[in-house]
Amino acid sequence: MAKFRVRVSTGEAFGAGTWDKISVSIVGTRGETPPLPLDRLGKEFNAGAEEDFEVTPPEDVGRVLLVRVHKAPPARSRPLAPPAGDAWFCRWLQLTPHGAAPLCFPCYQWLEGERSLVLREGTAKISWEDHHPTLQQQRREELQARRETYRWKTYIPGWPRCLDEETVKNLNLNIKYSVAKNTTFYLRGGSALAELKLKGLLDRKGLWKSLKEMRRVFNFRKTPAVEYVCEHWQEDAFFAYQFLNGLNPVLIRRCHHLPKNFPVTDAMVAPVLGPGTSLQAELEKGSLFLVDYDLLAGVRTNVINGRPQFSTAPMTLLYQRPGRGPLLPLAIQLSQTPGPDSPIFLPSDDKWDWLLAKTWVRNAEFSIHEALTHLLQAHLVPEVFALATLRQLPHCHPLFKSTGLGIGGFSELIQKNMKQLNYSALCLPDDIRARGVEDIPDYYYRDDGMQIWGAVERFVSEMIGIYYPSDESVRDDSELQAWVREIFSEGFLGRESSGLPSTLGTREALIQYVTMVIFNCSAKHSAVSAGQFDFAAWMPNLPPSMQLPPPTSKGQARLEGFLATLPPVNATCDVVIALRLLSKEPGDRRPLGTYPDEYFTEEAPRRSIAAFQSRLAEISRDIQERNHSLALPYPYLDPPLIENSVSI
C-alpha cells in the first residue's frame, strides 16, 4: 500500500512536549485506517521539535478528508517516564501522500490525558461548502462537543451571561492564559505587594498625612506618564484633557441644550468664556461639551475599614476655546438634583472648593470606567463573543480563524447600563458621530482609533470577500447566523432596543459586525486598560472611593478636609497594586495583526494578513511621530502595544 509521510510540529511553550505515545488515523472517502503509531528510536515530541515519520495504511482510504490524532500513556517499562497523561501542544500536522502535494492540518491545541482529536485540512470552509457526509458530520460533532464543554450561566441577573465554571482551575488548557503570562503577572504583583508591605502601608487603615507623604510613598516604578500626572493633576486643562485621552475617553459629548437639571447661567461662566459671547451663543456654535454621570444616582456604596463610602452623580460642562485652544471646565454640579444643597462649582471659586469638586468628578470617572467601560464593555461583552465563537463556529470556519462602589454597586451599574448599551456605542465611527465629537481637536483616542478601525475594516472586508461571494451566502451560513443569534440572546439578553443584530443579511452588515468584535476585543480594550496605572497611580487624580459626603455649600473646603475625603492608606495601596497589574501586559504578547497560530493555509488570506500588518505598521509610525512632539504622549492605541484580544 502507498506510504504517507507525516510531519508533526510541537509547540515551543514550557511543557509543550510529551512522553505519551502519539498515533494517527487517516480518514478518507473510502474508509478509515486504524491508529498508525508515530514512533522511532529515541524520544519524540519535544518542545519546539518538527519531526518526520512514515506510516503505511493497511488499505487505500481514498481522498483524505480528516486526520485523527491519538495520545495514550507510554509503556510503564520506559525508564524516566513521568506519570501517564502529561499534556502535549500540537501546532500542526502535515500529511504527504505518495506522489502528491502535502496537506496541512492546523491544530494549535493542547491534548490532555488519553484522548483523540480530529483535524481538518487547513482550507477554511463555510458550512454550505462541505458536501461530503463525513465532513458534515465532523462539523456537527465538533460543535456539539464544544457546546457541552462550554456552557452558559447567569452570574448576576441583568449581566451578560458567561462561562459556566466555578474556578479557573477547571478551565480547559486551550482557553487558559499561558504559563509565561501567568508567571509574569504574579511575579509583578508579588513585587509590588512586598514593597508596600515593607513600608508598613498595606495594613495602615488611617488617613494620608499629606500629599507629600503620598508622593514619597508611591515613588516606586514611576512612568513618565505618572510623573506628568503628579505634576499637572490640579490643572483645569489636564482635568479636561482626560475626558479626551484619559482612561475613559468615551463619555464626552457635544452639548447644544443644557439639561434642565443643570441650571448654569451666563454670569457663572462669563470669566472663562470672556467678553463678546454668551452661554446660548456657545451652545449654538457647538463649542460646549457635557460629561454626565447620571447612572451613578442612587447606586449603593461600599464599606471600607468599617466606614461607609460615598458617591455622587455629577455633571461637568466643558468649553472648547476657538482655534486649537485647550478644552476647559466651565461648571460642575455634584448631583442630578439642583438646589441650595447642590451648588454649581466654578473655576472662580476658592481653590479647595474647586479642586474638591473636580476630585468628586474624577471619583465618578473611576467608578464608571471600572464598572462599565472596562469590566462590562472590555471584558464581559468580549467574553460573550469568545464563548459564542467556541460554541457556534468550528475550527475550519473562516471567522473562527480571525479572531468605591463595591461589588454590589458595580452590579447595579452594570444592570443599569445593560438597559442602555447599544450597537452604535460598540462601533467607533457611529459612536463618534452620536456624541458629536468628530472635530474636537487633540482627541487622540478618536484619531488613532479611527485609523485602526479603518485598517481592521479593510482587512475584514477582504477576508469576507474571499469566503462569501454574495449576500445570499451570508444568509445561508447557518453557523454564522447561530453565532450572531447567540451573542444577541446570551450577551445582550435578547433586548431589541440594543440595536444589536440577531441575524445578518448582507456582506456589508457582516463586515461591520466582525470589525466591531475585533476592535472591541483588541484596540478598545487597550485604550481603556493600558493606561490605568499611568492615570491612577497618583491616587488624588482618580480616587477609587470617597470617605466623606460631597460638599453641600461653598467656602468650607480645606486641605485637611480634602485629605480626609480621599481613600485610606490601605485601600489606596490595594487599588494601585491592582491597577499596576492590569495596566502592564505580562509575557507572551501577541500584538494586533500577529497570528502565530497559522490557521489559514490558502494564499489569498495570507496576503490579506500581510497587507493588514503593513497598514498597522504605517499607523504605528504615524502615532510615534506625533507622540514625539507631545508633552504627554498617547501610546495606548499604538498597534504593537495592542493585544490581538483581551488578555489581562
Side-chain angles (χ1 to χ4, degrees):
M1 300 304 297
K3 295 181 179 181
F4 285 83
R5 179 188 172 196
V6 182
R7 188 169 181 82
V8 181
S9 176
T10 297
E12 298 178 350
F14 176 79
T18 184
W19 285 88
D20 284 2
K21 303 300 292 181
I22 306 298
S23 59
V24 297
S25 299
I26 301 171
V27 181
T29 53
R30 297 179 187 169
E32 177 176 349
T33 72
L36 306 171
L38 302 182
D39 200 2
R40 61 184 187 185
L41 290 176
K43 183 182 181 305
E44 308 90 10
F45 311 111
N46 293 303
E50 290 187 8
E51 301 163 284
D52 290 311
F53 305 89
E54 197 171 79
V55 296
T56 304
E59 58 186 18
D60 182 13
V61 296
R63 180 171 61 88
V64 176
L65 300 174
L66 305 168
V67 171
R68 300 190 199 276
V69 181
H70 312 282
K71 186 168 82 72
R76 291 187 178 274
S77 59
R78 174 175 287 188
L80 303 179
D86 64 324
W88 174 52
F89 187 85
C90 175
R91 295 180 67 238
W92 47 260
L93 182 148
Q94 188 181 80
L95 188 68
T96 306
H98 180 72
L103 302 172
C104 187
F105 295 79
C107 181
Y108 301 101
Q109 295 182 66
W110 289 94
L111 280 78
E112 298 180 84
E114 186 172 355
R115 61 166 294 202
S116 298
L117 184 69
V118 180
L119 301 181
R120 294 178 55 126
E121 190 273 324
T123 303
K125 292 283 186 69
I126 309 297
S127 56
W128 42 260
E129 291 183 293
D130 270 339
H131 303 297
H132 196 281
T134 299
L135 295 177
Q136 294 170 348
Q137 180 181 357
Q138 182 274 329
R139 293 182 89 107
R140 291 192 297 268
E141 291 177 350
E142 179 185 345
L143 290 179
Q144 182 58 37
R146 295 238 220 98
R147 289 166 191 159
E148 293 172 359
T149 301
Y150 306 113
R151 301 177 304 277
W152 295 101
K153 76 172 180 182
T154 298
Y155 179 65
I156 293 177
W159 284 36
R161 301 190 76 208
C162 62
L163 179 65
D164 185 12
E165 285 290 1
E166 295 300 321
T167 172
V168 173
K169 294 179 181 179
N170 298 337
L171 293 178
N172 184 301
L173 269 179
N174 289 302
I175 62 172
K176 281 185 179 180
Y177 286 153
S178 69
V179 172
K181 192 181 293 290
N182 278 326
T183 302
T184 308
F185 185 86
Y186 288 115
L187 284 175
R188 181 178 289 122
S191 173
L193 280 168
E195 191 164 351
L196 291 174
K197 187 75 173 176
L198 287 173
K199 293 180 177 180
L201 299 174
L202 288 178
D203 302 319
R204 185 174 142 193
K205 298 181 179 180
L207 304 177
W208 290 99
K209 296 174 183 177
S210 66
L211 294 174
K212 287 184 179 179
E213 180 196 30
M214 204 181 302
R215 183 185 291 262
R216 186 170 61 251
V217 164
F218 289 105
N219 198 36
F220 69 100
R221 306 188 194 283
K222 278 190 177 177
T223 66
V226 172
E227 292 282 6
Y228 188 94
V229 172
C230 287
E231 293 297 324
H232 298 276
W233 69 284
Q234 297 187 44
E235 298 171 8
D236 285 359
F238 183 62
F239 171 79
Y241 166 92
Q242 293 182 84
F243 292 117
L244 299 175
N245 303 307
L247 270 187
N248 200 23
V250 298
L251 293 185
I252 186 170
R253 59 180 57 245
R254 197 177 299 273
C255 180
H256 291 291
H257 305 282
L258 277 178
K260 292 182 179 179
N261 61 339
F262 194 13
V264 180
T265 66
D266 278 315
M268 292 177 181
V269 297
V272 177
L273 294 184
T277 188
S278 66
L279 192 60
Q280 185 58 38
E282 297 300 330
L283 286 168
E284 292 174 0
K285 283 197 293 186
S287 59
L288 300 187
F289 297 84
L290 181 69
V291 180
D292 190 350
Y293 298 93
D294 59 320
L295 281 173
L296 286 167
V299 171
R300 77 179 105 164
T301 57
N302 200 9
V303 174
I304 298 177
N305 298 336
R307 295 183 57 179
Q309 304 298 293
F310 295 88
S311 178
T312 59
M315 290 182 280
T316 301
L317 188 65
L318 301 124
Y319 171 53
Q320 176 63 57
R321 287 187 179 277
R324 296 192 65 85
L327 186 70
L328 293 172
L330 280 178
I332 293 172
Q333 182 176 286
L334 295 181
S335 80
Q336 295 290 309
T337 307
D341 293 335
S342 183
I344 294 177
F345 292 90
L346 306 167
S348 56
D349 289 340
D350 174 80
K351 169 189 173 181
W352 290 107
D353 281 339
W354 180 235
L355 182 61
L356 184 59
K358 289 192 294 182
T359 304
W360 274 103
V361 172
R362 298 299 297 158
N363 168 250
E365 178 85 331
F366 180 94
S367 298
I368 292 293
H369 168 266
E370 292 299 340
L372 304 182
T373 313
H374 188 208
L375 176 58
L376 173 60
Q377 296 181 27
H379 283 273
L380 301 184
V381 170
E383 181 177 345
V384 170
F385 298 151
L387 189 50
T389 300
L390 288 168
R391 288 170 47 85
Q392 301 297 346
L393 298 181
H395 270 93
C396 65
H397 196 287
L399 290 188
F400 189 98
K401 296 167 176 271
S402 293
T403 52
L405 295 177
I407 294 175
F410 269 38
S411 177
E412 288 181 24
L413 264 184
I414 289 173
Q415 289 166 335
K416 279 187 174 184
N417 191 239
M418 278 296 293
K419 297 175 182 177
Q420 301 179 4
L421 185 61
N422 57 64
Y423 188 39
S424 64
L426 300 175
C427 298
L428 182 65
D430 295 348
D431 177 55
I432 295 298
R433 284 192 296 270
R435 292 189 288 117
V437 289
E438 301 98 319
D439 58 357
I440 189 170
D442 302 326
Y443 192 4
Y444 307 126
Y445 165 74
R446 174 203 59 208
D447 298 342
D448 299 352
M450 287 297 289
Q451 286 203 78
I452 291 169
W453 178 280
V456 172
E457 185 177 50
R458 188 184 312 172
F459 170 58
V460 171
S461 179
E462 290 179 5
M463 299 295 270
I464 297 301
I466 294 169
Y467 296 104
Y468 292 91
S470 65
D471 291 344
E472 184 181 12
S473 65
V474 173
R475 293 190 291 270
D476 288 346
D477 186 350
S478 58
E479 293 166 347
L480 169 70
Q481 300 299 339
W483 177 63
V484 173
R485 187 165 54 251
E486 189 157 281
I487 291 171
F488 174 73
S489 62
E490 304 293 343
F492 290 77
L493 309 181
R495 188 170 49 84
E496 296 284 351
S497 59
S498 69
L500 198 86
S502 57
T503 62
L504 295 175
T506 66
R507 292 199 300 177
E508 182 180 4
L510 176 57
I511 290 166
Q512 182 184 29
Y513 194 91
V514 175
T515 302
M516 177 274 294
V517 170
I518 293 174
F519 183 85
N520 280 276
C521 293
S522 57
K524 175 76 172 288
H525 177 262
S526 179
V528 303
S529 178
Q532 289 179 98
F533 185 75
D534 290 344
F535 287 99
W538 177 243
M539 181 270 290
N541 182 61
L542 205 66
S545 64
M546 302 291 259
Q547 298 199 89
L548 296 179
T552 57
S553 62
K554 298 184 181 184
Q556 307 300 313
R558 299 291 184 271
L559 172 59
E560 297 75 18
F562 182 83
L563 290 171
T565 303
L566 295 176
V569 175
N570 62 334
T572 303
C573 294
D574 290 342
V575 170
V576 169
I577 290 170
L579 295 183
R580 174 164 177 75
L581 292 174
L582 293 172
S583 296
K584 301 301 180 183
E585 177 60 37
D588 193 22
R589 177 183 291 277
R590 293 189 178 189
L592 181 63
T594 303
Y595 304 103
D597 298 351
E598 298 179 357
Y599 283 111
F600 286 103
T601 59
E602 310 98 300
E603 190 58 35
R606 286 173 177 265
R607 285 196 301 268
S608 293
I609 290 172
F612 181 40
Q613 293 169 339
S614 177
R615 176 61 183 138
L616 291 174
E618 292 177 13
I619 294 171
S620 179
R621 287 192 292 270
D622 292 344
I623 290 174
Q624 292 180 27
E625 182 178 353
R626 178 205 63 208
N627 283 345
H628 283 314
S629 64
L630 298 179
L632 180 62
Y634 185 79
Y636 309 114
L637 287 174
D638 188 0
L641 304 182
I642 299 172
E643 278 277 343
N644 250 336
S645 63
V646 177
S647 58
I648 187 169

